């Protein structure tokens, strides 16, 4: 199908983008890499009066260190995230998860921030961002503010961003020395996750000193598997300890049924994939 007619603006700064969105109100859509928005426009599931393309905003690209944080620009492509040495060293879980996003063509065009703000609960990057306690830096008419990942994802395809705000960058606490793994179950190659588990673990002296576990597509938003994390703390990462911890994977989840899986199957997958992810990350 052909999208409905809309106006198009390509600002060159964050401030210009915010002013444009403020003037347009709720009739505008933000275009990042376009891998999610363009199909929606073609199917006329969205009918914006204005599309604001952030492709020319250079300050929203790139990856840098700032103290104990790794800062990833919202317009940084998945491909660039994958190739960056800082991400590999300090945020291994994000590097591993990004490798599973769609296919090489999409990873060259799709953006880190675009995937996050799209807020699809089946999207791969939401769970690791939540698990790693990232903060979203957003810009609006009143300036910039930080939003914790726990508060950023509100519902299906819904975030706490205001209509006149843009995600500028994501601040990820460094997890240097942590092991990580992302376990994803999908029906066909390069498809959305039926269920995914993002895990990063710090083992010291043969015991789990810290553990972070995020679940993909087990509710309307990504879910932190805190029961699993608590069960692992202070334990040696043995097969039995991991099995007992993984048994708590469905605590606090609200999985739905669709053409890919019913609730019971998703809950089964969550436990199995959590066990696999923890075993790989802890080995």
């Amino acid at each position: 199908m052909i999208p409905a007619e809309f106006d198009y603006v390509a600002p060159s700064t964050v401030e210009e983008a915010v002013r444009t969105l403020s003037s347009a109100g709720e009739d505008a859509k933000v275009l990042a890499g376009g891998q999610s928005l363009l199909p929606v426009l073609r199917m006329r599931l969205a009918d914006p009066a204005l599309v604001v393309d952030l492709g020319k905003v250079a300050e929203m690209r790139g990856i840098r260190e700032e103290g104990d944080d790794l800062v990833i620009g919202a317009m940084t492509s998945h491909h660039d995230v994958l190739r960056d040495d800082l991400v590999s060293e300090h945020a291994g879980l994000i590097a591993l998860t990004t490798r599973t996003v769609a296919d090489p063509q999409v990873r060259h065009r799709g953006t880190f921030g675009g995937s996050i703000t799209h807020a699809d609960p089946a999207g791969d990057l939401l769970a690791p961002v939540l698990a790693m306690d990232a903060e979203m830096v957003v810009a609006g008419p009143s300036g910039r503010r930080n939003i914790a990942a726990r508060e950023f994802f509100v519902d299906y395809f819904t975030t706490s961003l205001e209509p006149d705000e843009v995600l500028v960058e994501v601040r990820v606490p460094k997890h240097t020395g942590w092991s990580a793994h992302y376990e994803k179950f999908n029906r066909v190659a390069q498809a959305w996750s039926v269920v995914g588990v993002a895990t990063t673990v710090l083992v010291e002296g043969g015991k789990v000193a810290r553990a972070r576990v995020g679940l993909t597509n087990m509710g309307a938003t990504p879910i932190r598997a805190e029961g699993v994390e608590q069960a692992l703390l202070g334990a040696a990462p043995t097969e039995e300890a991991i099995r007992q911890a993984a048994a708590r994977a469905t605590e606090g989840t609200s999985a739905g049924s669709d053409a890919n899986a019913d609730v019971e199957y998703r809950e089964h997958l969550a436990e199995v994939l959590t066990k696999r992810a923890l075993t790989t990350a802890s080995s």
Side-chain angles (χ1 to χ4, degrees), residues 194-232:
V194 176
V195 173
V197 179
T199 302
T200 185
V201 177
L202 180 64
V203 178
E204 295 178 334
K207 295 185 178 181
V208 177
R210 298 181 186 178
R212 301 287 184 268
V213 181
L215 304 178
T216 300
N217 215 11
M218 285 298 291
T221 64
I223 294 174
R224 184 81 169 262
E226 295 181 343
V228 176
E229 298 173 0
Q230 293 166 5
L232 283 172

Side-chain angles (χ1 to χ4, degrees), residues 34 48 59 106 114 128 156 181 234 239 269:
E59 64 188 288
V106 169
Y156 288 102
H181 188 65
E239 181 179 352
L269 284 173

Side-chain angles (χ1 to χ4, degrees), residues 122-254:
D124 296 300
L125 292 175
L126 278 60
V129 164
L130 176 65
M132 297 180 74
D133 293 315
E135 284 191 336
M136 317 301 166
V137 181
V138 306
S142 300
R144 299 193 180 193
R145 64 186 179 113
N146 289 17
I147 308 173
R150 289 177 178 272
E151 300 169 359
F152 188 76
F153 304 109
V154 176
D155 206 338
Y156 288 102
F157 301 99
T158 305
T159 71
S160 55
L161 275 174
E162 298 295 336
D164 54 2
E165 289 182 320
V166 294
L167 174 64
V168 177
E169 59 193 24
V170 180
R171 303 185 69 91
V172 183
K174 291 180 180 177
H175 285 61
T176 316
W178 293 49
S179 300
H181 188 65
Y182 183 63
E183 193 73 30
K184 171 180 177 177
F185 182 85
N186 47 352
R187 297 184 63 183
V188 296
Q190 299 147 2
W192 297 107
S193 299
V194 176
V195 173
V197 179
T199 302
T200 185
V201 177
L202 180 64
V203 178
E204 295 178 334
K207 295 185 178 181
V208 177
R210 298 181 186 178
R212 301 287 184 268
V213 181
L215 304 178
T216 300
N217 215 11
M218 285 298 291
T221 64
I223 294 174
R224 184 81 169 262
E226 295 181 343
V228 176
E229 298 173 0
Q230 293 166 5
L232 283 172
L233 285 180
T238 62
E239 181 179 352
E240 179 59 20
I242 290 174
R243 184 191 65 79
Q244 292 182 8
R248 301 183 61 180
T250 59
E251 293 179 5
T253 62
S254 55

